[in-house]
Amino acid sequence: MRGPTLRATGLVTVVLAGLLGSAFALGRSLVPEHPPSNAGATTALNGPRYADQPPSTDFPGGRATAGPSPDAAPDAAPVEPGGDGPYGTLVATGSSRVALTFDDGPDPRWTPQVLALLAQYGVKATFCVVGENAEAHPDLIRSIVAEGHTLCNHSWEHDVNLGKRSAATIRADILRTNDAILAAVPHARIAYYRQPGGAWTHPVVSACADLGLTPLHWSVDPSDWKAPGALAIETLIRTQLAPGSIVLMHDAGGDRSGTVAALQQLLPEMLVRFELESLPVGPQ
Protein backbone atom coordinates (compact mmCIF):
# COMPACT_ATOMS: atom_id res chain seq x y z
CA MET A 1 0.00 0.00 0.00
CA ARG A 2 2.92 2.30 0.62
CA GLY A 3 4.00 2.46 -3.03
CA PRO A 4 0.53 3.15 -4.48
CA THR A 5 -0.10 5.78 -1.83
CA LEU A 6 3.08 7.68 -2.73
CA ARG A 7 2.25 7.50 -6.42
CA ALA A 8 -1.24 8.85 -5.76
CA THR A 9 0.12 11.65 -3.63
CA GLY A 10 2.63 12.59 -6.33
CA LEU A 11 -0.11 12.61 -8.97
CA VAL A 12 -2.26 14.94 -6.85
CA THR A 13 0.71 17.25 -6.35
CA VAL A 14 1.37 17.45 -10.09
CA VAL A 15 -2.29 18.19 -10.85
CA LEU A 16 -2.44 20.93 -8.20
CA ALA A 17 0.76 22.54 -9.47
CA GLY A 18 -0.65 22.56 -12.99
CA LEU A 19 -3.88 24.18 -11.83
CA LEU A 20 -2.01 26.84 -9.85
CA GLY A 21 0.23 27.61 -12.83
CA SER A 22 -2.78 28.02 -15.12
CA ALA A 23 -4.48 30.32 -12.63
CA PHE A 24 -1.35 32.49 -12.32
CA ALA A 25 -1.01 32.76 -16.11
CA LEU A 26 -4.68 33.69 -16.42
CA GLY A 27 -4.29 36.37 -13.76
CA ARG A 28 -1.23 37.84 -15.52
CA SER A 29 -3.10 38.01 -18.81
CA LEU A 30 -5.86 40.07 -17.19
CA VAL A 31 -3.45 42.74 -15.85
CA PRO A 32 -2.58 45.48 -18.41
CA GLU A 33 1.11 45.79 -19.17
CA HIS A 34 2.91 49.04 -18.26
CA PRO A 35 5.77 50.39 -20.34
CA PRO A 36 9.13 50.44 -18.61
CA SER A 37 9.69 53.59 -16.59
CA ASN A 38 12.35 56.09 -17.60
CA ALA A 39 12.70 57.32 -14.07
CA GLY A 40 16.30 57.65 -13.12
CA ALA A 41 17.53 57.64 -16.71
CA THR A 42 20.50 59.88 -17.33
CA THR A 43 21.08 62.23 -20.24
CA ALA A 44 23.62 61.16 -22.81
CA LEU A 45 27.03 62.62 -22.16
CA ASN A 46 27.30 63.96 -25.70
CA GLY A 47 24.30 66.27 -25.63
CA PRO A 48 23.55 69.07 -28.08
CA ARG A 49 26.37 71.50 -28.66
CA TYR A 50 25.98 75.22 -29.32
CA ALA A 51 25.87 75.24 -33.08
CA ASP A 52 23.93 71.98 -33.23
CA GLN A 53 20.94 73.83 -31.82
CA PRO A 54 18.69 75.26 -34.52
CA PRO A 55 16.93 78.56 -33.88
CA SER A 56 14.08 78.26 -31.41
CA THR A 57 10.78 77.48 -33.15
CA ASP A 58 9.33 80.42 -31.23
CA PHE A 59 11.37 82.73 -33.42
CA PRO A 60 10.97 81.71 -37.09
CA GLY A 61 13.06 83.96 -39.25
CA GLY A 62 14.44 85.63 -36.14
CA ARG A 63 11.13 87.24 -35.19
CA ALA A 64 9.18 86.36 -32.07
CA THR A 65 5.73 84.96 -32.78
CA ALA A 66 4.83 83.24 -29.53
CA GLY A 67 3.83 84.93 -26.32
CA PRO A 68 6.49 85.64 -23.72
CA SER A 69 7.51 83.05 -21.19
CA PRO A 70 6.46 83.57 -17.57
CA ASP A 71 9.95 84.90 -16.85
CA ALA A 72 9.85 87.48 -19.59
CA ALA A 73 9.28 91.15 -18.97
CA PRO A 74 6.71 92.96 -21.11
CA ASP A 75 8.24 94.51 -24.21
CA ALA A 76 9.15 98.12 -23.79
CA ALA A 77 8.66 100.61 -26.58
CA PRO A 78 10.15 99.14 -29.78
CA VAL A 79 13.82 99.89 -30.25
CA GLU A 80 14.97 100.13 -33.85
CA PRO A 81 18.76 100.44 -34.04
CA GLY A 82 18.59 101.36 -37.71
CA GLY A 83 19.58 98.14 -39.45
CA ASP A 84 17.48 96.23 -41.97
CA GLY A 85 17.38 92.93 -40.09
CA PRO A 86 14.94 91.60 -37.48
CA TYR A 87 14.12 94.35 -34.95
CA GLY A 88 16.47 96.73 -36.74
CA THR A 89 19.54 94.51 -36.40
CA LEU A 90 22.57 94.99 -38.63
CA VAL A 91 22.63 92.77 -41.74
CA ALA A 92 24.99 94.70 -43.99
CA THR A 93 28.33 96.48 -43.61
CA GLY A 94 26.99 99.73 -45.04
CA SER A 95 29.60 99.73 -47.79
CA SER A 96 30.77 97.48 -50.62
CA ARG A 97 33.01 95.61 -48.17
CA VAL A 98 32.18 92.10 -46.95
CA ALA A 99 32.45 91.03 -43.31
CA LEU A 100 33.20 87.46 -42.24
CA THR A 101 31.88 86.51 -38.81
CA PHE A 102 32.56 83.37 -36.76
CA ASP A 103 30.25 82.22 -33.97
CA ASP A 104 30.34 80.04 -30.86
CA GLY A 105 34.05 80.00 -30.05
CA PRO A 106 36.65 80.20 -29.07
CA ASP A 107 37.47 76.53 -29.55
CA PRO A 108 41.00 75.17 -29.01
CA ARG A 109 40.83 72.97 -32.10
CA TRP A 110 39.06 75.10 -34.72
CA THR A 111 39.68 78.73 -33.76
CA PRO A 112 43.48 78.52 -34.26
CA GLN A 113 42.93 77.00 -37.73
CA VAL A 114 40.56 79.82 -38.70
CA LEU A 115 42.98 82.42 -37.33
CA ALA A 116 45.86 80.86 -39.29
CA LEU A 117 43.92 81.02 -42.57
CA LEU A 118 42.85 84.61 -41.99
CA ALA A 119 46.46 85.56 -41.22
CA GLN A 120 47.68 83.76 -44.33
CA TYR A 121 45.48 85.94 -46.54
CA GLY A 122 45.71 89.10 -44.47
CA VAL A 123 41.99 89.14 -43.69
CA LYS A 124 40.40 90.57 -40.55
CA ALA A 125 37.11 89.16 -39.29
CA THR A 126 34.64 89.39 -36.40
CA PHE A 127 34.44 86.67 -33.73
CA CYS A 128 31.15 86.30 -31.84
CA VAL A 129 32.28 84.52 -28.70
CA VAL A 130 30.34 82.58 -26.08
CA GLY A 131 31.08 83.73 -22.53
CA GLU A 132 31.83 80.37 -20.97
CA ASN A 133 34.20 79.55 -23.83
CA ALA A 134 35.93 82.90 -23.44
CA GLU A 135 36.36 82.13 -19.75
CA ALA A 136 37.73 78.65 -20.51
CA HIS A 137 40.12 79.80 -23.26
CA PRO A 138 41.35 83.32 -22.47
CA ASP A 139 44.51 82.69 -24.51
CA LEU A 140 42.39 82.42 -27.66
CA ILE A 141 40.58 85.67 -26.86
CA ARG A 142 43.99 87.30 -26.56
CA SER A 143 45.03 85.82 -29.92
CA ILE A 144 41.88 87.12 -31.63
CA VAL A 145 42.49 90.63 -30.34
CA ALA A 146 46.25 90.56 -30.95
CA GLU A 147 45.68 89.65 -34.60
CA GLY A 148 43.40 92.63 -35.12
CA HIS A 149 40.00 90.98 -35.26
CA THR A 150 36.77 92.40 -33.82
CA LEU A 151 35.01 90.86 -30.83
CA CYS A 152 31.26 90.34 -30.53
CA ASN A 153 29.31 89.15 -27.48
CA HIS A 154 27.33 85.96 -28.27
CA SER A 155 25.73 85.39 -24.82
CA TRP A 156 27.05 83.36 -21.93
CA GLU A 157 26.00 79.83 -22.93
CA HIS A 158 24.22 80.17 -26.29
CA ASP A 159 20.70 80.23 -24.88
CA VAL A 160 18.42 80.58 -27.92
CA ASN A 161 15.55 81.50 -25.61
CA LEU A 162 17.42 84.26 -23.80
CA GLY A 163 15.28 86.89 -25.53
CA LYS A 164 12.15 85.54 -23.84
CA ARG A 165 13.55 85.99 -20.36
CA SER A 166 13.33 89.00 -18.06
CA ALA A 167 15.13 92.22 -18.90
CA ALA A 168 17.33 91.73 -15.82
CA THR A 169 18.28 88.20 -16.91
CA ILE A 170 19.15 89.34 -20.43
CA ARG A 171 21.29 92.21 -19.16
CA ALA A 172 23.08 89.99 -16.62
CA ASP A 173 23.85 87.38 -19.30
CA ILE A 174 25.36 89.96 -21.65
CA LEU A 175 27.38 91.63 -18.90
CA ARG A 176 28.69 88.28 -17.64
CA THR A 177 29.97 87.52 -21.13
CA ASN A 178 31.57 90.94 -21.43
CA ASP A 179 33.29 90.37 -18.08
CA ALA A 180 34.75 87.04 -19.29
CA ILE A 181 36.13 88.73 -22.41
CA LEU A 182 37.56 91.64 -20.43
CA ALA A 183 39.16 89.26 -17.93
CA ALA A 184 41.26 87.95 -20.84
CA VAL A 185 41.85 91.32 -22.51
CA PRO A 186 41.06 94.15 -20.07
CA HIS A 187 41.06 96.90 -22.70
CA ALA A 188 39.17 94.96 -25.39
CA ARG A 189 36.51 96.90 -27.28
CA ILE A 190 33.24 94.95 -27.45
CA ALA A 191 30.96 96.76 -29.85
CA TYR A 192 28.51 94.06 -31.03
CA TYR A 193 26.07 91.49 -29.70
CA ARG A 194 24.65 88.55 -31.66
CA GLN A 195 21.62 86.68 -30.34
CA PRO A 196 21.93 82.87 -30.47
CA GLY A 197 19.80 81.41 -33.24
CA GLY A 198 18.99 84.90 -34.50
CA ALA A 199 16.13 84.79 -31.98
CA TRP A 200 15.85 88.55 -31.53
CA THR A 201 13.25 90.23 -29.34
CA HIS A 202 12.61 93.81 -28.32
CA PRO A 203 14.03 93.23 -24.79
CA VAL A 204 17.30 91.93 -26.25
CA VAL A 205 17.64 94.86 -28.65
CA SER A 206 16.75 97.25 -25.82
CA ALA A 207 19.49 95.71 -23.64
CA CYS A 208 21.95 96.19 -26.51
CA ALA A 209 21.00 99.85 -26.81
CA ASP A 210 21.37 100.33 -23.06
CA LEU A 211 24.81 98.70 -23.04
CA GLY A 212 26.10 100.42 -26.16
CA LEU A 213 26.19 97.26 -28.29
CA THR A 214 25.17 97.07 -31.95
CA PRO A 215 22.81 94.08 -32.51
CA LEU A 216 24.52 92.06 -35.24
CA HIS A 217 22.61 89.74 -37.57
CA TRP A 218 23.76 88.44 -40.99
CA SER A 219 22.81 88.28 -44.66
CA VAL A 220 24.65 85.11 -45.79
CA ASP A 221 24.11 81.87 -43.87
CA PRO A 222 25.61 78.66 -45.31
CA SER A 223 24.21 76.64 -42.37
CA ASP A 224 27.69 75.32 -41.66
CA TRP A 225 26.50 74.51 -38.11
CA LYS A 226 24.86 71.47 -39.69
CA ALA A 227 28.30 70.34 -40.97
CA PRO A 228 27.02 69.76 -44.54
CA GLY A 229 30.55 69.49 -45.94
CA ALA A 230 32.94 71.98 -47.51
CA LEU A 231 31.41 71.92 -51.00
CA ALA A 232 27.90 72.76 -49.75
CA ILE A 233 29.26 75.62 -47.63
CA GLU A 234 31.31 76.99 -50.51
CA THR A 235 28.43 76.77 -52.99
CA LEU A 236 25.95 78.60 -50.80
CA ILE A 237 28.36 81.39 -49.91
CA ARG A 238 29.33 81.87 -53.56
CA THR A 239 25.65 82.02 -54.51
CA GLN A 240 24.57 84.53 -51.85
CA LEU A 241 27.66 86.74 -51.51
CA ALA A 242 27.19 90.36 -52.58
CA PRO A 243 28.70 93.75 -51.77
CA GLY A 244 28.01 94.62 -48.14
CA SER A 245 27.30 91.05 -47.04
CA ILE A 246 27.77 89.88 -43.47
CA VAL A 247 28.64 86.18 -43.65
CA LEU A 248 27.77 83.82 -40.78
CA MET A 249 30.13 80.90 -40.09
CA HIS A 250 31.18 78.93 -37.01
CA ASP A 251 34.56 78.16 -35.45
CA ALA A 252 33.11 76.02 -32.64
CA GLY A 253 30.09 73.97 -31.62
CA GLY A 254 30.88 70.76 -33.47
CA ASP A 255 33.02 69.40 -36.29
CA ARG A 256 34.14 72.50 -38.18
CA SER A 257 36.50 70.76 -40.61
CA GLY A 258 34.09 71.56 -43.46
CA THR A 259 34.07 75.25 -42.53
CA VAL A 260 37.88 75.37 -42.40
CA ALA A 261 38.20 73.58 -45.76
CA ALA A 262 35.59 75.85 -47.36
CA LEU A 263 37.33 78.94 -46.00
CA GLN A 264 40.61 77.79 -47.49
CA GLN A 265 39.01 77.67 -50.96
CA LEU A 266 36.88 80.79 -50.60
CA LEU A 267 39.33 83.32 -49.18
CA PRO A 268 41.45 83.79 -52.33
CA GLU A 269 38.29 83.96 -54.46
CA MET A 270 36.63 86.49 -52.17
CA LEU A 271 39.69 88.72 -52.19
CA VAL A 272 39.51 88.92 -55.98
CA ARG A 273 35.87 90.04 -55.89
CA PHE A 274 35.58 92.01 -52.64
CA GLU A 275 37.42 93.85 -49.93
CA LEU A 276 37.04 91.91 -46.68
CA GLU A 277 36.91 93.71 -43.35
CA SER A 278 36.35 93.17 -39.68
CA LEU A 279 33.39 95.17 -38.48
CA PRO A 280 34.49 98.53 -37.09
CA VAL A 281 34.51 99.06 -33.33
CA GLY A 282 34.59 102.85 -33.36
CA PRO A 283 31.59 105.18 -33.63
CA GLN A 284 29.14 103.83 -36.20
Side-chain angles (χ1 to χ4, degrees):
M1 294 295 291
R2 191 172 181 183
T5 299
L6 289 174
R7 284 195 296 274
T9 302
L11 180 60
V12 169
T13 301
V14 169
V15 171
L16 286 174
L19 290 172
L20 287 172
S22 298
F24 178 78
L26 178 62
R28 288 274 296 180
S29 68
L30 295 175
V31 177
E33 298 231 356
H34 295 281
S37 171
N38 289 324
T42 56
T43 304
L45 292 177
N46 296 321
R49 293 161 292 185
Y50 298 133
D52 294 333
Q53 301 175 26
S56 168
T57 54
D58 287 341
F59 304 94
R63 293 187 178 274
T65 57
S69 68
D71 185 38
D75 282 358
V79 175
E80 296 297 335
D84 295 325
Y87 296 97
T89 54
L90 191 67
V91 294
T93 63
S95 71
S96 62
R97 297 177 180 180
V98 168
L100 303 182
T101 66
F102 297 91
D103 282 17
D104 297 353
D107 178 275
R109 180 175 184 183
W110 305 113
T111 302
Q113 295 184 51
V114 170
L115 288 173
L117 281 171
L118 295 173
Q120 178 183 343
Y121 290 98
V123 172
K124 306 302 181 187
T126 300
F127 286 80
C128 301
V129 301
V130 172
E132 61 182 3
N133 288 344
E135 183 178 72
H137 306 291
D139 56 321
L140 293 177
I141 297 295
R142 287 190 283 270
S143 294
I144 290 169
V145 173
E147 295 182 27
H149 303 292
T150 297
L151 288 172
C152 169
N153 184 317
H154 195 35
S155 83
W156 177 256
E157 58 182 357
H158 203 278
D159 178 5
V160 295
N161 288 313
L162 179 62
K164 297 171 65 180
R165 309 197 190 288
S166 70
T169 298
I170 294 167
R171 181 184 174 88
D173 187 287
I174 295 173
L175 287 174
R176 186 181 184 188
T177 302
N178 277 357
D179 287 345
I181 295 170
L182 294 172
V185 184
H187 301 295
R189 175 83 167 90
I190 309 164
Y192 300 91
Y193 173 80
R194 174 171 280 167
Q195 174 67 10
W200 297 98
T201 63
H202 288 307
V204 169
V205 174
S206 295
C208 288
D210 186 46
L211 296 172
L213 299 172
T214 298
L216 178 64
H217 202 65
W218 57 83
S219 55
V220 177
D221 178 9
S223 295
D224 67 329
W225 63 271
K226 297 179 181 179
L231 182 58
I233 297 169
E234 292 171 37
T235 300
L236 198 146
I237 291 177
R238 285 192 186 102
T239 301
Q240 295 188 1
L241 202 62
S245 292
I246 296 176
V247 184
L248 169 65
M249 288 182 282
H250 295 80
D251 64 322
D255 181 356
R256 299 294 159 240
S257 57
T259 300
V260 171
L263 194 63
Q264 192 162 19
Q265 295 298 317
L266 287 168
L267 279 174
E269 297 177 22
M270 287 179 173
L271 286 169
V272 171
R273 299 174 57 195
F274 305 99
E275 185 175 352
L276 305 182
E277 69 170 0
S278 59
L279 291 166
V281 296
Q284 302 297 303

